[in-house]
Amino acid sequence: AEHFLTLLVVPAIKQDYGSQKDFTQVWNTTMEGLKCCGFNNYTDFEGSPYFMKNHTFPPYCCADNGNGTTVEPCTEEKAKDKTVQGCFSQLLYDIRTNAATVGGVAAGIGGLELAAMIVSMYLYCNLK
């Protein structure tokens, strides 16, 4: 799945980031929320319309961990120095951290659905 997502998402970033407003906004929100850069790292943006127009990477790729913002343009040298991790690894970490909670909620919803089906079958069988 990781390899498939990489083959799917990275070319989409290179093609659409900076040219499609909705796609760019979703990635900006994701990078801001997870404090990450690109799918794997800043190199995912090389060749994108954003990079070709501005000759810089998105500011999230050079953000400090403290405040999450940067004032100067994010060049390749600065992005290398900051080593902000990619969003995919951050997302996997968050999922693994909260897996017990997500599993518990899913099991609870499944139990409620099963109980509702049992009650409805009981009522249907005793219909007169």
Side-chain angles (χ1 to χ4, degrees):
E2 291 178 29
H3 183 66
F4 177 72
L5 281 173
T6 303
L7 290 176
L8 186 68
V9 175
V10 173
I13 291 173
K14 289 184 185 288
Q15 181 180 356
D16 297 333
Y17 186 84
S19 64
Q20 290 190 7
K21 183 180 177 184
D22 293 339
F23 184 82
T24 303
Q25 189 173 12
V26 166
W27 266 105
N28 286 341
T29 304
T30 302
M31 291 188 292
E32 183 179 6
L34 294 176
K35 303 204 181 341
C36 58
C37 172
F39 188 76
N40 298 310
N41 56 23
Y42 71 94
T43 59
D44 295 341
F45 295 101
E46 291 175 345
S48 70
Y50 179 89
F51 184 80
M52 296 304 215
K53 179 181 175 188
N54 301 314
H55 300 291
T56 59
F57 295 100
Y60 309 103
C61 298
C62 293
D64 292 326
N65 289 338
N67 60 6
T69 58
T70 183
V71 180
E72 301 172 352
C74 184
T75 61
E76 185 172 359
E77 294 78 25
K78 291 177 187 172
K80 280 182 187 177
D81 290 341
K82 294 293 181 179
T83 62
V84 178
Q85 69 183 63
C87 293
F88 186 64
S89 60
Q90 183 65 33
L91 184 63
L92 282 179
Y93 173 77
D94 288 349
I95 288 172
R96 288 181 182 132
T97 303
N98 300 314
T101 304
V102 172
V105 169
I109 291 172
L112 285 173
E113 289 288 330
L114 185 61
M117 287 174 29
I118 291 170
V119 168
S120 65
M121 283 303 296
Y122 175 77
L123 291 173
Y124 176 76
C125 289
N126 290 320
L127 196 76
K128 292 183 183 183

